[in-house]
Amino acid sequence: MRGGRVMPPANTTDEEFMAVFKAVGQRRASEILKTTERNVNYRRRRLEAKYGPIDAPSKQPIEFPGRVPIEIKNGTVVVGGDAHIWPGPASTCMRAFKKFIADIKPSAVILNGDVMDFPRISRHPQNWETAPDVKEELEAVQDYLSDIVQVCGRKTLKIWTIGNHDIRFEGLFANSVPQMRGVRGVHLSDHFPAWQKAMSCLINEQIRGGETMVKHIPKGGGINATRGFTLNGGISTVHNHLHSQNVRPVSDYRAHDRYGVDTGMLADKEHRAFGYAQDAPLDWRPGFAVLTYKDGLLMPPELVTKMDDKTVWFRGQLHKV
């Protein structure tokens, strides 16, 4: 220490220090370099002034296939997300999701993020609520998705657009032990091989009026997020994350309307995973969406909405699930 200032470790070159920091982050770097985290952070700041930003692994993007394009000329796509599955009985809309897929036999099924919850590996503080371990949650999701696969048609496309909760799994390995990259078991795909993982799914990219972007998180937030996402995207959009469930048509000089869709949530609002809401009134709606394409054009999207623990509403009728 000199003049009250902690001095950086001096037994490594700048290049060696930066390589270690980028690979393992501050805490692990302090162990490897046999110094304090404060020393590591000081040297990092000093070197950033000289070389530019030095990012820790937590700031590096988690790699998933970016965008999956599909074409649906005449057919349906069932989109649902935010199941936040824990071990135990399936929610009302999880049961409805399975039933509608079995009945409709859609061209594609899209799990639009946050199928998993992963509270045990969240960066947020834990509370006294008993939450499932990662192993228990993986097994519960495997059981449910196995049922979904069984009721899908033989040619049904099965796509999983990754949500912020889903990404916690690979994020844990990527940020803590990046040396494990590529080892079987550390990737979510290893546990769910029937589903194609992606950050987004673009439907009918080449058909004017049919282009539809499906991804978990919309651009922007607030009550106008669904409409804003569609305005900014320039095509129809489908998202989850906000749990609100609504359809917002957008019209302009183009021949066909485009639509913004928030599919809602497959979980029940009362799910223990949402204890953080502290029993506040929630403007959320359990449900999912059915997209229909005719000659490649997207027809007005339809919503399946939970009415009570045993029924959902769709096309003017109550359906028991």
Side-chain angles (χ1 to χ4, degrees):
M1 182 176 292
R2 181 181 301 167
R5 187 177 67 186
V6 177
M7 300 303 294
N11 59 340
T12 58
T13 67
D14 290 351
E15 290 73 17
E16 290 171 337
F17 175 87
M18 290 188 290
V20 170
F21 189 92
K22 289 179 178 179
V24 299
Q26 180 173 298
R27 182 184 64 79
R28 183 71 180 121
S30 70
E31 297 171 354
I32 294 173
L33 299 174
K34 293 181 171 49
T35 186
T36 65
E37 290 189 49
R38 188 178 180 187
N39 274 357
V40 170
N41 190 46
Y42 172 84
R43 186 170 184 180
R44 175 196 181 187
R45 293 200 309 271
R46 182 172 64 82
L47 293 180
E48 283 185 326
K50 183 178 180 180
Y51 297 105
I54 305 172
D55 292 335
S58 60
K59 293 185 178 180
Q60 296 173 354
I62 310 303
E63 291 189 5
F64 284 101
R67 177 186 293 178
V68 172
I70 63 174
E71 291 188 9
I72 309 293
K73 185 173 182 181
N74 291 289
T76 57
V77 180
V78 178
V79 186
D82 288 296
H84 296 272
I85 296 175
W86 284 21
S91 70
T92 303
C93 286
M94 285 169 61
R95 299 195 308 271
F97 195 65
K98 176 183 173 181
K99 171 180 169 53
F100 275 66
I101 291 169
D103 292 345
I104 295 173
K105 289 292 189 287
S107 303
V109 173
I110 301 178
L111 304 172
N112 200 24
D114 285 359
V115 179
M116 318 295 300
D117 191 48
F118 289 138
R120 290 293 188 187
I121 52 177
S122 168
R123 63 182 175 85
H124 300 292
Q126 299 290 310
N127 56 30
W128 290 110
E129 180 66 69
T130 300
D133 293 329
V134 171
K135 179 176 181 294
E136 295 172 325
E137 192 171 334
L138 283 171
E139 291 173 348
V141 176
Q142 285 170 337
D143 287 345
Y144 177 69
L145 294 190
S146 175
D147 290 344
I148 297 297
V149 170
Q150 288 181 21
V151 299
C152 282
R154 184 171 58 87
K155 296 183 178 180
T156 299
L157 300 173
K158 295 174 283 293
I159 298 166
W160 184 339
T161 44
I162 299 298
N164 51 298
H165 281 253
D166 303 324
I167 210 169
R168 289 175 178 176
F169 184 77
E170 291 195 30
L172 176 68
F173 292 101
N175 296 325
S176 302
V177 282
Q179 301 87 344
M180 296 289 288
R181 179 176 179 173
V183 175
R184 182 170 178 77
V186 304
H187 301 284
L188 204 57
S189 297
D190 298 334
H191 303 273
F192 304 96
W195 296 85
Q196 185 174 4
K197 308 300 186 303
M199 295 306 294
S200 64
C201 176
L202 183 56
I203 305 172
N204 292 348
E205 181 177 10
Q206 303 300 322
I207 302 176
R208 179 64 62 87
E211 315 102 307
T212 311
M213 171 58 76
V214 182
K215 65 188 297 289
H216 181 68
I217 299 179
K219 176 181 173 64
I223 61 174
N224 292 314
T226 303
R227 185 173 186 272
F229 186 26
T230 301
L231 284 172
N232 278 282
I235 60 176
S236 293
T237 62
V238 182
H239 70 84
N240 278 81
H241 189 59
L242 302 181
H243 302 182
S244 297
Q245 198 183 58
N246 60 83
V247 176
R248 299 293 300 273
V250 175
S251 300
D252 53 27
Y253 286 122
R254 279 170 273 200
H256 303 284
D257 286 350
R258 57 192 192 275
Y259 301 92
V261 183
D262 178 340
T263 80
M265 55 194 293
L266 291 175
D268 290 325
K269 287 202 297 185
E270 302 78 18
H271 187 6
R272 288 184 298 157
F274 308 129
Y276 60 82
Q278 301 180 0
D279 201 23
L282 301 173
D283 189 18
W284 296 353
R285 268 159 294 285
F288 52 94
V290 178
L291 311 179
T292 301
Y293 293 87
K294 298 291 186 183
D295 295 325
L297 301 181
L298 175 62
M299 301 295 104
E302 299 170 289
L303 300 177
V304 179
T305 305
K306 175 183 174 181
M307 301 306 294
D308 57 40
D309 289 342
K310 296 182 180 180
T311 57
V312 295
W313 179 262
F314 180 65
R315 291 180 180 171
Q317 293 184 355
L318 290 171
H319 300 260
K320 289 187 177 181
V321 295

